[in-house]
Amino acid sequence: MKPNFEPGKWFMQCVGINIAKGTFTACLCMYEFDMGCATEPIVFSNNKTGFNQFVKWSRKEALKGYPIRYVMEPTGVYYEQLAAHLSKLDLDICIVLPNKAREFAKYEGILTKTDDMDAYTLGMLGCLDKRLKSWTPPSPIYRELRQMTRFVADINKVRTELQNHLEALTHSEITEKSIVKHYNKLINEIDKQLASNQKAIRDKIKQQPGLSERIERIATIKGLGYMTVVTVLAETNGFALITNRKQLTRYAGLDVPAHQSGPVDPKRHISKQGNVHIRTALYFPAIVSTQYNPQMKDFYGRLCARNPQSKMIGVTATMRKLLLLIYSLWKSGEEYDSKRDKPIKKEKERG
């Protein structure tokens, strides 16, 4: 595509990609200061043939001699194969959260929401927002651990549901013994699968030199189990792209945005616009920590004293504290000091 303006030092070109299960829609946008243009959106198959056709199309339409960026949203798992394919070709890929694209569309006054318009919006976002960070594929071991830990979480939900049905059945006036037997058999089979999967997780971690020792060291925090630490590492790719604490809390959806305006200052809540798997993994460890970890218990008590009507504020804050503690210990390589509730350097301990 030839732009209808003369490219200058502010020129940017970006392909916006709206992913679906079987197809994806692409739109190439070009922008220079206050002038822009775009191609007609085009649909490709979400498979290897479609990927090759898409790359060929984008290179043909893009202006030669200028960098090109590819922007998409993390739609379930359907974006992963295309993102990996583009990464293997050393192309510049950006993965943006849906709320960021929605906010940009609202700012630009784009009210229509279709596949074509979403692709155009992502393309313009890539042209105008130079702060977008390039995406890199997760490490293979963390990608595999993510699938395994999510399996544990999903199958535990099924087990809880079956256990609840069995509990209700045993309290019925008339109980069919064969049904009780079936429920018990399913629960026992799930327990075997959970044990097998957790063993496989530990075996896989041991294949990575030094990884098991680092996880075990962090898991010494009272209330924080081995699987919780593994889940957090799997969901964050070993904190590879996390550069600060604020970014981490926002990624996990544990940030608390303010909406104060003049005299109006409504009650604040966590955004929940982040990784739900991290929040789920930290919920029960936070509750256990407030009972058995002296430092967390004290921290939780102070918050509950300030907010006696909502103890959930204390639980959520404890979740955030545990997450940041895992991050701090992982990045620093230090050990946890249970007396001071903060990391201590190994060198100091030896001295």
Side-chain angles (χ1 to χ4, degrees):
M1 179 183 72
K2 187 176 181 180
N4 53 9
F5 53 85
E6 189 66 28
K9 65 176 182 178
W10 303 107
F11 179 76
M12 285 289 295
Q13 55 183 350
C14 175
V15 179
I17 308 168
N18 184 66
I19 303 285
K21 180 180 179 180
T23 61
F24 63 92
T25 305
C27 178
L28 172 64
C29 297
M30 296 180 177
Y31 202 85
E32 167 65 40
F33 196 55
D34 60 349
M35 297 174 290
C37 59
T39 63
E40 288 292 326
I42 182 169
V43 178
F44 298 92
S45 297
N46 196 359
N47 54 38
K48 192 170 182 179
T49 301
F51 301 160
N52 292 328
Q53 292 173 347
F54 164 67
V55 171
K56 185 177 179 180
W57 168 83
S58 65
R59 286 173 171 170
K60 178 182 177 183
E61 295 290 338
L63 198 62
K64 303 298 185 293
Y66 294 91
I68 181 171
R69 172 185 284 176
Y70 298 82
V71 177
M72 65 184 80
E73 294 175 339
T75 308
V77 297
Y78 303 124
Y79 78 99
E80 292 182 352
Q81 290 187 359
L82 175 58
H85 182 84
L86 297 177
S87 177
K88 290 176 182 177
L89 298 175
D90 292 327
L91 299 176
D92 185 16
I93 314 155
C94 298
I95 308 294
V96 299
L97 294 176
N99 63 314
K100 187 176 183 68
R102 284 196 302 269
E103 291 170 1
F104 176 78
K106 185 184 294 186
Y107 176 79
E108 291 293 323
I110 301 173
L111 303 179
T112 303
K113 182 166 177 58
T114 62
D115 290 345
D116 290 355
M117 187 56 70
D118 286 349
Y120 169 77
T121 301
L122 290 169
M124 289 304 297
L125 172 62
C127 288
L128 295 175
D129 193 344
K130 295 180 173 58
R131 297 171 300 174
L132 294 181
K133 295 183 178 179
S134 298
W135 176 83
T136 54
S139 171
I141 187 169
Y142 291 120
R143 185 169 61 241
E144 294 165 2
L145 287 174
R146 184 181 64 184
Q147 294 176 359
M148 298 171 81
T149 53
R150 288 185 180 183
F151 170 79
V152 172
D154 290 341
I155 207 67
N156 268 321
K157 291 178 184 177
V158 176
R159 188 190 188 282
T160 301
E161 186 176 348
L162 291 174
Q163 192 69 52
N164 290 339
H165 286 313
L166 179 60
E167 178 73 14
L169 188 63
T170 55
H171 285 79
S172 300
E173 183 181 357
I174 300 175
T175 303
E176 174 57 47
K177 293 182 179 179
S178 64
I179 300 301
V180 173
K181 183 178 179 181
H182 291 323
Y183 272 117
N184 283 320
K185 186 176 180 181
L186 285 172
I187 292 171
N188 290 334
E189 183 60 30
I190 287 175
D191 288 340
K192 291 178 183 178
Q193 292 296 327
L194 284 171
S196 174
N197 188 67
Q198 291 183 10
K199 181 180 182 301
I201 288 175
R202 289 180 178 270
D203 291 341
K204 185 169 290 294
I205 288 172
K206 289 177 181 177
Q207 295 174 8
Q208 188 82 0
L211 181 58
S212 181
E213 290 76 8
R214 296 181 73 181
I215 294 174
E216 292 282 4
R217 187 181 69 248
I218 296 173
T220 57
I221 302 171
K222 274 191 177 180
L224 200 62
Y226 185 91
M227 288 301 299
T228 302
V229 179
V230 174
T231 299
V232 172
L233 292 175
E235 295 294 336
T236 58
N237 191 27
F239 301 111
L241 300 179
I242 305 296
T243 57
N244 56 67
R245 295 156 63 91
K246 184 177 180 180
Q247 181 188 7
L248 176 58
T249 54
R250 186 168 186 179
Y251 177 76
L254 290 171
D255 56 318
V256 184
H259 300 283
Q260 183 270 337
S261 178
V264 180
D265 191 5
K267 190 174 181 180
R268 301 179 184 182
H269 304 273
I270 59 172
S271 68
K272 293 186 180 180
Q273 294 181 352
N275 191 299
V276 66
H277 302 284
I278 295 178
R279 297 197 303 275
T280 302
L282 289 171
Y283 178 70
F284 283 111
I287 293 177
V288 173
S289 295
T290 60
Q291 299 178 39
Y292 300 104
N293 187 314
Q295 290 76 27
M296 296 298 172
K297 185 176 182 179
D298 181 62
F299 173 73
Y300 174 75
R302 293 197 306 270
L303 289 175
C304 287
R306 292 203 298 265
N307 304 276
Q309 302 300 322
S310 180
K311 293 186 177 180
M312 191 60 197
I313 293 176
V315 174
T316 305
T318 306
M319 290 167 58
R320 179 181 180 275
K321 190 175 180 66
L322 285 174
L323 176 62
L324 295 178
L325 190 54
I326 294 172
Y327 172 69
S328 177
L329 292 170
W330 179 264
K331 286 290 188 179
S332 66
E334 300 172 357
E335 294 184 359
Y336 178 68
D337 185 353
S338 59
K339 296 181 180 179
R340 296 187 299 161
D341 188 31
K342 60 176 66 175
I344 58 172
K345 292 185 178 180
K346 292 181 180 179
E347 290 78 9
K348 288 185 177 180
E349 188 180 37
R350 292 193 187 101

